[in-house]
């Protein structure tokens, strides 16, 4: 995997680039739809490629390990063959899911023992085991196994957690170098910067991660309850240390406003369940603001969802029709909501990229932020 930095915004740290992978190029900044269990909820592969224009999607190591399991994935020839998405994929390490299993997991230096949320069976993730699982899944980009502490974690806990994450990163890298891809194409491994909201820990982690000279790097443990301005402060600090010639991935963030602000701070890659989760629950994002499609005010509004036409559904269905579908609890409502939101997110980062290249990203962002924040 290689990264080409094409343009930088003269008034911010925003960047436009291209990530080159075995399954195709990714134009950055980019948003990655979340395909937790080998599928983006309610969205077919054809819709992902043709309507949403997704260039890369995510798979979740924890969920894919439990079901369908690595044996099935290997027999299929990897996740690309299993789900039919022939463009780049990224797998998280499963760390966030494992550590969210409060009460049914035990953490120690060797790794994490946990019980399946499906049937209660006992399992163990070590850094080495996670790399093996991610090899079996076969994503173009793999994430290192880390602990994601709570956003409210006290300093002493955060410091111990960071030491564990750094130890696990070294073990992940060792296992990565000892093993080969299973399906004949290169897989990259991204380390993850942690440190909660403590500046000294974030700096220490960013320096440690940068020293590994990986093909790309990630920022984890944000958007987990800390104030938004603190999140931006941590991103700015970390990106002042991470190398500029490698892609930077902000994990699990966030709203359209969060994404534009993070782009201005030098982030290249994003993922979040918000577009699909909110779309299934009648909250649609548009270039003019946020719409709750269940509100009665839309019952006789026959205008498009987004007059700017950020996805094919905008001109195919009116606000009145979508209001009717959501009020009637039709399954089609959840599908259309998910597709619209994902298409809007991809449109938004595409517009950001265009304005970075044109040199007026900062002015465009300052115009967009108030519009994206309002509720219609």
């Amino acid at each position: 995997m290689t990264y080409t930095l094409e343009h930088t915004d003269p008034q911010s740290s925003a960047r436009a680039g291209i990530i080159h992978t075995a399954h195709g190029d990714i134009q950055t900044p980019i948003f990655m739809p979340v395909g937790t269990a080998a599928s983006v909820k309610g969205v077919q592969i054809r819709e992902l490629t043709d309507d949403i224009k997704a260039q890369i999607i995510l798979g979740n190591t924890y969920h894919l390990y439990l079901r369908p399991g690595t044996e099935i994935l290997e027999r299929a020839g990897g996740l690309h063959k299993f789900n039919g998405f022939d463009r780049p994929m990224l797998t998280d390490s499963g760390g966030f899911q494992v550590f969210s299993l409060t009460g049914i997991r035990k953490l120690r230096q060797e790794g994490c023992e946990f019980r399946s949320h499906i049937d209660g069976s006992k399992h163990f993730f070590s850094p080495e085991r996670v790399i093996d699982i991610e090899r079996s899944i076969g994503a173009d980009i793999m994430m290192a196994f880390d602990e994601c502490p709570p956003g409210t974690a006290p300093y002493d806990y955060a410091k111990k957690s960071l030491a564990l994450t750094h130890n696990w990163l070294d073990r992940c890298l060792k296992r990565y170098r000892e093993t080969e891809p299973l399906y004949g194409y290169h897989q990259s491994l991204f380390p993850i910067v942690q440190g909660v909201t403590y500046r000294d820990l974030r700096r220490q982690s960013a320096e440690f991660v940068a020293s590994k000279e990986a093909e790309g790097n990630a920022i984890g443990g944000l958007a987990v309850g800390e104030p938004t301005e603190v999140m931006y402060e941590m991103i700015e600090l970390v990106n002042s240390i991470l190398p500029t010639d490698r892609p930077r991935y902000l994990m699990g963030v966030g709203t359209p406003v969060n994404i534009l602000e993070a782009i201005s701070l030098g982030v290249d890659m994003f993922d979040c369940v918000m577009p699909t989760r909110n779309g299934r629950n009648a909250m649609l994002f548009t270039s003019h603001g946020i719409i709750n499609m269940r509100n009665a005010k839309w019952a006789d509004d026959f205008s498009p969802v987004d007059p700017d036409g950020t996805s094919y559904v905008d001109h195919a269905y009116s606000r009145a029709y979508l209001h009717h579908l959501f009020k009637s609890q039709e399954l089609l409502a959840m599908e259309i909501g998910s597709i619209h939101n994902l298409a809007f997110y991809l449109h938004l980062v595409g517009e950001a990229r265009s304005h970075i290249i044109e040199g007026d990203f900062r002015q465009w962002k300052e115009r967009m932020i108030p519009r994206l924040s309002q509720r219609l």
Side-chain angles (χ1 to χ4, degrees), residues 10 27 72 103 110 179-180 188 218 222 247 271 284 299 318 358-359 372:
Q27 295 183 327
I72 293 294
E110 294 77 16
T179 57
E180 296 291 333
S188 300
L222 294 176
D271 81 285
L284 303 189
S318 69
E358 292 166 9
L372 295 171

Side-chain angles (χ1 to χ4, degrees), residues 10 21 78 82 98 147 150 163-164 174 197 203 223 254 287 298 316 321 323:
T21 79
F82 187 62
V98 167
E147 183 189 4
L164 186 65
K174 182 174 183 293
T197 57
R203 181 180 295 279
S287 55
W298 311 120
Y321 181 60
H323 170 78

Side-chain angles (χ1 to χ4, degrees), residues 171-214:
R171 290 167 57 188
C172 282
L173 287 167
K174 182 174 183 293
R175 186 66 170 185
Y176 172 73
R177 291 165 183 148
E178 291 172 347
T179 57
E180 296 291 333
L182 299 182
Y183 309 113
Y185 54 84
H186 178 70
Q187 293 178 276
S188 300
L189 177 64
F190 282 22
I192 303 172
V193 175
Q194 290 288 355
V196 194
T197 57
Y198 302 105
R199 288 186 65 86
D200 62 326
L201 298 183
R202 282 285 173 181
R203 181 180 295 279
Q204 176 189 338
S205 187
E207 290 172 349
F208 184 83
V209 163
S211 73
K212 303 304 174 183
E213 299 184 346

Side-chain angles (χ1 to χ4, degrees), residues 7-184:
H7 296 274
T8 55
D9 179 58
Q11 297 179 304
S12 73
S13 297
R15 303 131 51 90
I18 301 178
I19 301 171
H20 308 277
T21 79
H23 284 92
D25 291 348
I26 305 160
Q27 295 183 327
T28 65
I30 191 64
F31 180 83
M32 304 178 284
V34 177
T36 300
S39 72
V40 177
K41 290 188 186 301
V43 181
Q44 296 186 54
I45 296 298
R46 176 189 56 78
E47 293 163 335
L48 279 171
T49 55
D50 297 350
D51 302 325
I52 296 167
K53 313 296 185 188
Q55 298 179 49
I56 177 174
I57 64 174
L58 268 69
N60 182 271
T61 297
Y62 166 83
H63 288 282
L64 293 171
Y65 161 76
L66 291 177
R67 190 166 52 194
T70 55
E71 181 180 346
I72 293 294
L73 289 171
E74 288 184 16
R75 287 169 60 189
L79 184 56
H80 289 91
K81 296 286 183 62
F82 187 62
N83 73 356
F85 188 77
D86 61 1
R87 298 178 183 180
M89 292 193 202
L90 179 150
T91 42
D92 63 16
S93 67
F96 180 82
Q97 286 71 30
V98 167
F99 297 117
S100 67
L101 299 172
T102 306
I104 55 174
R105 52 92 168 172
K106 295 178 181 178
L107 182 64
R108 55 182 186 268
Q109 192 71 28
E110 294 77 16
C112 186
E113 180 183 289
F114 62 95
R115 290 191 178 276
S116 164
H117 72 286
I118 299 170
D119 59 10
S121 57
K122 189 181 291 187
H123 303 269
F124 184 75
F125 272 8
S126 65
E128 296 80 8
R129 180 67 179 126
V130 166
I131 294 299
D132 291 345
I133 295 167
E134 292 192 88
R135 288 293 199 196
S136 295
I137 296 170
D140 300 85
I141 301 172
M142 311 186 299
M143 304 308 300
F145 191 49
D146 66 330
E147 183 189 4
C148 183
T152 56
Y155 184 85
D156 287 348
Y157 182 91
K159 186 175 181 179
K160 291 178 182 177
S161 171
L162 188 61
L164 186 65
T165 287
H166 288 175
N167 174 268
W168 285 357
L169 173 56
D170 282 335
R171 290 167 57 188
C172 282
L173 287 167
K174 182 174 183 293
R175 186 66 170 185
Y176 172 73
R177 291 165 183 148
E178 291 172 347
T179 57
E180 296 291 333
L182 299 182
Y183 309 113

Side-chain angles (χ1 to χ4, degrees), residues 249-361:
Y249 164 31
L250 179 60
M251 305 180 74
V253 178
T255 68
V257 170
N258 292 158
I259 288 174
L260 291 192
E261 294 290 6
I263 289 173
S264 74
L265 296 171
V267 174
D268 306 296
M269 304 167 67
F270 302 87
D271 81 285
C272 189
V273 297
M274 184 174 287
T276 46
R277 179 177 291 169
N278 287 22
R280 294 194 303 273
N281 288 282
M283 180 181 286
L284 303 189
F285 298 99
T286 78
S287 55
H288 294 272
I290 303 167
I291 301 178
N292 183 341
M293 291 310 312
R294 291 197 179 98
N295 287 349
K297 65 190 292 185
W298 311 120
D300 60 351
D301 184 338
F302 302 101
S303 62
V305 177
D306 191 334
D308 289 357
T310 57
S311 76
Y312 86 98
V313 304
D314 295 322
H315 297 296
Y317 306 107
S318 69
R319 295 177 179 184
Y321 181 60
L322 288 182
H323 170 78
H324 159 71
L325 291 180
F326 277 108
K327 292 294 286 187
S328 303
Q329 299 183 349
E330 287 288 337
L331 294 178
L332 182 59
M334 294 185 283
E335 180 181 354
I336 293 173
S338 298
I339 294 170
H340 167 83
N341 279 352
L342 287 173
F344 174 73
Y345 269 59
L346 267 295
H347 170 81
L348 186 67
V349 295
E351 285 291 291
R353 175 182 167 82
S354 295
H355 285 283
I356 293 168
I357 293 171
E358 292 166 9
D360 64 347
F361 169 79

